[in-house]
Amino acid sequence: MSISIPAARADFPILSTRVNDHPLVYLDNAATTQKPQAVIDSLRDYYTFVNSNVHRGGHTLAVRATDMYEAAREKVARFINAAHAHEVIFTRGTTESINLVANSFGEAFIQPGDEIIVSELEHHSNYVPWFELCQRKGARFRVLPLTPTGELDPDVLQSMFTEKTRLLALNQVSNSLGTVNPLETLIPLAHAAGVPVLVDAAQSVQHLAARDVQALDADFYAFSGHKMYAPMGIGVLYAKESWLEKLPPFLYGGEMIDQVSSTRVTFAQLPYKFEAGTPNVEGAVGLGAAVDYLNRFDQLELQAYEEDLLAYGIEQLRAIPGLTLYGNPRHRSSILPFNVEGIQHYDMGILLDTSGVAVRTGQHCTQPIMDALSISGTVRASLALYNNREDIDALTRGIRRVMKMLRR
Amino acid sequence: MQTTAEIAAQISAEFSLLENWEEKYDYLIEKGQNLPDMPDDLKSDEHLVKGCQSSVWFVTECREGRLYFQTDSDSLIVKGLAALLVELLNGQPAEAYQNVDLSLFDTLGFWRHLSSQRSNGLTAMVSFLKAAAEDCAAHHGA
């Protein structure tokens, strides 16, 4: 059963706090989202009633903890429609997920002279691991450029594939511009050229209903819990079973082995081969609770609500004289990147905070985009399901107030 | 010339009259705006202080054991903080830089308010000035 989206605001206790004598207006959701009571309760309950290490000891609590951990994996698998739960690897977050692939895939498949393509729209965490891999292996690092509207051009991508191309890494939604990349076009193009695709879904999995990894045919799909209403320190790497079978482990240690002797080590089956050490059980439980929470909504309705709010935000920001909104993609999700003429983004952020409005300022870990736009940074307001038009109005009121303060 | 402690007390007294964050920032920004702009040709990488989200430049000059500096930033808030450093330290003997009491920024509240951010340049600015003052003292001594 789906629940009303505006009513969901009440599920997030932190949203009723006050900041600097003003009600909190939280518009930094691309950095991290707030947590619903159901997620907070799941952590408290886990430590109050369950806590034990997983996959060991036959005692009752250890079995319960293992069951909860594996149930969370099942929930995530269904959420992204993975073919198998063991295609879901728990990591610390998107960054670790991508580094895992860069290391394991790189170790197994990248030779000198090979090519890896990333887009200019990438967060540093989907850029630097590939750059460094290419440096280590003597491979060629290639960058698919942005168009003037802040999008990617499928024809340009098509022209970049060679018989040496080994991987395409790109995001589904840009954390800096909010561009929604047309994966339904780009992934088939890559596959037709024999190139597997890693998708950074850190800014999309919580906003877009199009998170069906089988429909997208993504080879790798990485995201973080904390940007989708779950705790920090838990993330996911989805990979097709066929890839996970072929990749060597990333980390070695307990939990991930089958047999160990002084002459021979064999590795555990999937997914444990990629989960060395005691995992973040609490985080996985919280992520499972966040998936349950998101499943209470009709996913298309949720996306439509957020897109309507984004459209309102764009309209309201464009009405402010001297304000530049960056990027003009056909499809944008959740991100409002802007600057106001004559006002440094840092000053705007600090001064908005004095009226309780939380935004992020700077380069957003996307220096290549800032270079392409020839700017030093932006103010970024980013939306989540609990935001509403009053939040946008508070933002625009705040901007106008800062403009008055700084222009005299 | 007043000591840094005397100047800090004066600045504290000025800020104590301000009632809320908006007024405090207003005043800080005014301090920055009253600072002369640095010529563009001095805003080079050589004079850029790293460790801030905004760009901030310092040009220092050592004369007879005293360190003088001019500064600018593309952020009016950072320029305001830099302006407080100018009031506090510009032209002071190099030794005064090493012992400077930064509790002023605590008193004003800006330290707490700004330093939780990686982007706050205050620490980086002070380290830069201390290093320049150390050079100045060494050369003067030699």
Side-chain angles (χ1 to χ4, degrees), chain A residues 20 342 344-348 350-351 353-354 360-363 365 376 401 405-408, chain B residues 21-22 25-26 29-30 33 53-55 74-78 113-114 117-121:
Chain A
N20 296 322
Q344 221 263 357
H345 43 84
Y346 175 79
D347 292 351
M348 180 64 84
I350 293 287
L351 296 173
D353 181 58
T354 62
R360 178 156 171 202
T361 63
Q363 300 179 329
C365 300
S376 68
R401 192 182 57 91
M405 275 178 86
L406 294 182
R407 288 197 182 144
R408 13 170 208 217
Chain B
W21 278 113
E22 190 164 333
Y25 277 113
D26 247 342
I29 288 160
E30 204 179 304
Q33 284 173 330
Q53 198 184 79
S54 49
S55 297
D74 58 351
S75 154
L76 286 173
I77 290 174
V78 174
H113 208 251
L114 293 171
Q117 313 229 3
R118 242 194 316 205
S119 46
N120 165 34

Side-chain angles (χ1 to χ4, degrees), chain B residues 75-133:
Chain B
S75 154
L76 286 173
I77 290 174
V78 174
K79 195 171 174 182
L81 291 172
L84 293 183
L85 290 174
V86 170
E87 283 189 30
L88 205 57
L89 289 167
N90 191 31
Q92 293 287 340
E95 299 73 35
Y97 284 75
Q98 306 309 333
N99 309 322
V100 64
D101 179 6
L102 293 174
S103 63
L104 166 69
F105 293 94
D106 274 328
T107 316
L108 303 185
F110 289 119
W111 190 275
R112 180 178 53 81
H113 208 251
L114 293 171
S115 69
S116 58
Q117 313 229 3
R118 242 194 316 205
S119 46
N120 165 34
L122 195 51
T123 313
M125 289 191 278
V126 171
S127 307
F128 178 88
L129 286 176
K130 282 187 174 180

Side-chain angles (χ1 to χ4, degrees), chain A residues 125-327:
Chain A
S125 63
N126 198 26
Y127 193 97
V128 181
W130 306 113
F131 179 86
E132 290 295 321
L133 171 64
C134 288
Q135 295 286 104
R136 284 200 304 279
K137 293 283 183 176
R140 196 165 157 225
F141 180 74
R142 304 192 62 195
V143 180
L144 170 62
L146 283 181
T147 67
T149 54
E151 297 174 281
L152 301 177
D153 183 340
D155 292 337
V156 176
L157 176 64
Q158 176 71 58
S159 73
M160 289 173 71
F161 292 125
T162 72
E163 57 183 22
K164 291 286 196 183
T165 311
R166 294 290 169 262
L167 187 90
L168 168 65
L170 83 175
N171 58 43
Q172 189 167 17
V173 169
S174 154
N175 73 303
S176 254
L177 299 180
T179 307
V180 179
N181 288 316
L183 296 185
E184 66 289 352
T185 307
L186 302 178
I187 292 178
L189 276 185
H191 286 170
V195 175
V197 182
L198 177 138
V199 177
D200 169 357
Q203 300 293 350
S204 58
V205 74
Q206 68 281 45
H207 298 297
L208 303 184
R211 62 174 83 90
D212 178 330
V213 290
Q214 293 188 78
L216 290 169
D217 203 16
D219 297 275
F220 304 96
Y221 195 76
F223 54 96
S224 298
H226 74 97
K227 295 188 199 290
M228 55 175 285
Y229 313 105
M232 290 190 174
I234 186 77
V236 169
L237 171 67
Y238 158 85
K240 286 178 181 170
E241 181 185 51
S242 54
W243 282 114
L244 290 175
E245 299 281 5
K246 281 183 273 194
L247 298 190
F250 172 42
L251 298 172
Y252 298 87
E255 292 266 347
M256 56 76 69
I257 39 78
D258 174 28
Q259 302 276 320
V260 177
S261 73
S262 62
T263 53
R264 187 159 173 272
V265 173
T266 57
F267 301 122
Q269 59 182 344
L270 295 175
Y272 310 112
K273 177 175 139 187
F274 293 99
E275 291 183 1
T278 293
N280 180 358
V281 182
E282 157 205 342
V285 168
L287 178 57
V291 168
D292 287 342
Y293 180 77
L294 279 168
N295 282 336
R296 287 156 65 181
F297 303 94
D298 178 281
Q299 300 301 302
L300 288 172
E301 215 175 283
L302 190 59
Q303 184 176 331
Y305 173 83
E306 291 186 6
E307 287 182 353
D308 176 70
L309 187 59
L310 184 75
Y312 178 74
I314 291 171
E315 177 196 302
Q316 294 301 307
L317 287 176
R318 285 201 172 132
I320 296 175
L323 186 145
T324 303
L325 187 71
Y326 295 102

